[in-house]
C-alpha cells in the first residue's frame, strides 16, 4: 500500500467507461483544509471589522459573527449532503438547464419579476424573495460536469 492512499484515498479504474474515479470514501483533505482556513480567516476579519459597530448598534459585539457562523454551519451541512450525491444518478441535466433558462427569462416579465433597487432580478414566492441567478450557478456546474464527463477520447 502506498503512503498517499492513507491521505487521499485509492483511485480505481472503471473498466466500463475507462475513467478514473476517486473512491466514495475519500475526499481531498488539502482542499477542505484550505477552505476551512479561509472561512476561519474570514470570520476573524468580520469580527475585526464589525465588532465596535455591532456592539453599538446591536448591543453584542459577536452578533454578526454568530450570524455568519450559523450560515457557515448550514453550508457545511449542504456540503456533506452534496458530497454523498452520486453525480451519475443525476441524468436530468437538460431539464434542469431548461427550467433555469425559463426562470431567468420569466423574471424579466412585468408582474412576475419584481423590481428591487432598480433591477428586475427577483421573484416573490409567498414571503420569500427568490433569485433565479443562484439556480443558474448550480445548473451551470451540473451541465459543465455532465458534458465534460461524457466527452470521448480525442
Amino acid at each position: 500500500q502506498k503512503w498517499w492512499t492513507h491521505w487521499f484515498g485509492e483511485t480505481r479504474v472503471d473498466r466500463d467507461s475507462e475513467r478514473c474515479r476517486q473512491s466514495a470514501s475519500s475526499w481531498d483533505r488539502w482542499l477542505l483544509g484550505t477552505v476551512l482556513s479561509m472561512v476561519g480567516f474570514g470570520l476573524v476579519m468580520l469580527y475585526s471589522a464589525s465588532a465596535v459597530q455591532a456592539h453599538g448598534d446591536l448591543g453584542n459585539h459577536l452578533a454578526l459573527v454568530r450570524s455568519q457562523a450559523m450560515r457557515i454551519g448550514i453550508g457545511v451541512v449542504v456540503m456533506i449532503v452534496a458530497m454523498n450525491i452520486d453525480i451519475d444518478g443525476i441524468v436530468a441535466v437538460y431539464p434542469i438547464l431548461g427550467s433555469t433558462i425559463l426562470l431567468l427569462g420569466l423574471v424579466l416579465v412585468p408582474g412576475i419579476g419584481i423590481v428591487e433597487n432598480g433591477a428586475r432580478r427577483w421573484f416573490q414566492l409567498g414571503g420569500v424573495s427568490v433569485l433565479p441567478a443562484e439556480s443558474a450557478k448550480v445548473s451551470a456546474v451540473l451541465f459543465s460536469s455532465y458534458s465534460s464527463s461524457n466527452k470521448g477520447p480525442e
Side-chain angles (χ1 to χ4, degrees):
Q1 181 175 358
K2 297 187 170 76
W3 65 271
W4 60 79
T5 58
H6 173 71
W7 293 103
F8 301 109
E10 291 190 36
T11 303
R12 64 177 177 82
V13 175
D14 187 355
R15 296 187 190 274
D16 296 332
S17 64
E18 294 298 324
R19 290 184 291 183
C20 290
R21 299 174 191 230
Q22 287 291 101
S23 64
S25 63
S26 68
W27 38 274
D28 192 348
R29 288 185 174 102
W30 288 103
L31 179 62
L32 180 64
T34 303
V35 169
L36 290 179
S37 297
M38 290 171 54
V39 167
F41 184 72
L43 279 176
V44 170
M45 291 296 105
L46 177 66
Y47 177 75
S48 174
S50 67
V52 173
Q53 186 73 29
H55 183 67
D57 293 346
L58 304 171
N60 184 357
H61 64 283
L62 289 174
L64 296 176
V65 174
R66 284 184 185 154
S67 173
Q68 187 68 21
M70 184 180 68
R71 289 183 177 103
I72 290 169
I74 292 169
V76 167
V77 170
V78 170
M79 178 189 70
I80 291 170
V81 169
M83 284 172 55
N84 293 315
I85 294 175
D86 183 19
I87 192 68
D88 291 332
I90 301 175
V91 292
V93 173
Y94 290 111
I96 292 171
L97 186 64
S99 63
T100 300
I101 292 171
L102 179 68
L103 286 174
L104 288 171
L106 282 176
V107 80
L108 299 174
V109 176
I112 296 177
I114 60 171
V115 177
E116 280 190 23
N117 297 327
R120 187 182 303 269
R121 298 181 186 139
W122 300 83
F123 288 120
Q124 189 73 28
L125 299 174
V128 179
S129 295
V130 178
L131 185 65
E134 296 302 320
S135 67
K137 293 175 189 176
V138 175
S139 297
V141 169
L142 284 175
F143 179 73
S144 298
S145 63
Y146 176 78
S147 63
S148 66
S149 69
N150 287 331
K151 291 198 182 293
E154 296 185 57

